[in-house]
Amino acid sequence: PKLMLIYMFKRSLLLVLLFCLHGAIIGQITDYKATYYVDGNVEKDQYRSHISLESLSPGASTVYATNGVHLVLTRMRINKTSGSLTDPDRRETGRNSVLLADGGSNVLVEYCEVNAHTQNSDGVSACGDSTRVRLIEGTVNVSRAGSAGLNAANKGKIIVEKTTVNTFANQNPSFYVCKDG
């Protein structure tokens, strides 16, 4: 039994590492970079749970959902711990957010912790008409200047249910809405 547990742990760890590597490689091919890139043109429905993801690169999100994907994230820790971005359009595009959804995607984030610990990095961004992010019973923490907890841009929608949004710098808004968000 002990050897079986070790085997299962190693196998699970290998799958998580391959999964993260795949997301990083795919993220490099697109305009937007991300640790975990999910494209609705490749697969419409995705589900991930019980893992941690992190982004360190400037202009890169940790999770990026695009092209009408239906993504469910459950009990995850999603972090952006470095990689500040000075692009003036980043708020309208959501670029450099911890979690970014656009292109009519629908993302459900339940029981997750979203952490932005770098300048100019919003916690959760929904950009574009028909794009929707729903946060249920989680936490969004933003600790550096020029960052918002939630960013709804260009008619994107963020629905918050029993979720705590913490911003720790005096100039950071908890919610930021731009261009008909």
Side-chain angles (χ1 to χ4, degrees):
K2 187 176 182 180
L3 288 176
M4 182 61 107
L5 286 174
I6 292 171
Y7 170 75
M8 289 174 55
F9 175 75
K10 286 181 179 180
R11 182 175 165 221
S12 297
L13 183 60
L14 179 62
L15 288 173
V16 168
L17 291 173
L18 287 172
F19 171 76
C20 291
L21 178 61
H22 174 356
I25 291 168
I26 295 297
Q28 299 301 319
I29 295 170
T30 65
D31 265 13
Y32 285 56
K33 294 182 262 178
T35 302
Y36 177 43
Y37 175 84
V38 187
D39 187 341
N41 290 331
V42 175
E43 190 172 343
K44 276 293 181 199
D45 297 302
Q46 288 279 327
Y47 173 78
R48 294 293 174 260
S49 68
H50 297 88
I51 62 172
S52 290
L53 296 171
E54 185 162 5
S55 174
L56 304 170
S57 301
S61 296
T62 307
V63 174
Y64 177 38
T66 190
N67 294 323
V69 72
H70 298 277
L71 174 63
V72 177
L73 304 173
T74 304
R75 298 194 188 283
M76 293 177 57
R77 174 176 268 172
I78 309 166
N79 301 312
K80 179 144 180 75
T81 54
S82 71
S84 184
L85 184 69
T86 57
D87 179 2
D89 295 329
R90 75 168 184 80
R91 274 270 163 73
E92 290 180 33
T93 61
R95 190 177 297 231
N96 211 51
S97 295
V98 179
L99 186 150
L100 168 60
D102 72 5
S105 295
N106 188 344
V107 181
L108 172 61
V109 183
E110 51 187 6
Y111 313 108
C112 292
E113 184 179 330
V114 176
N115 301 299
H117 298 300
T118 187
Q119 262 188 315
N120 303 317
S121 180
D122 296 333
V124 176
S125 292
C127 300
D129 201 17
S130 301
T131 301
R132 189 175 99 168
V133 176
R134 185 172 172 206
L135 304 169
I136 298 176
E137 294 193 42
T139 306
V140 177
N141 298 304
V142 175
S143 64
R144 298 293 185 257
S147 305
L150 308 175
N151 173 26
N154 300 315
K155 298 184 181 178
K157 305 222 179 332
I158 300 175
I159 300 152
V160 181
E161 299 174 29
K162 297 181 182 177
T163 296
T164 303
V165 179
N166 299 307
T167 56
F168 297 101
N170 289 338
Q171 62 271 37
N172 290 350
S174 293
F175 306 94
Y176 185 83
V177 180
C178 70
K179 289 205 175 180
D180 302 320

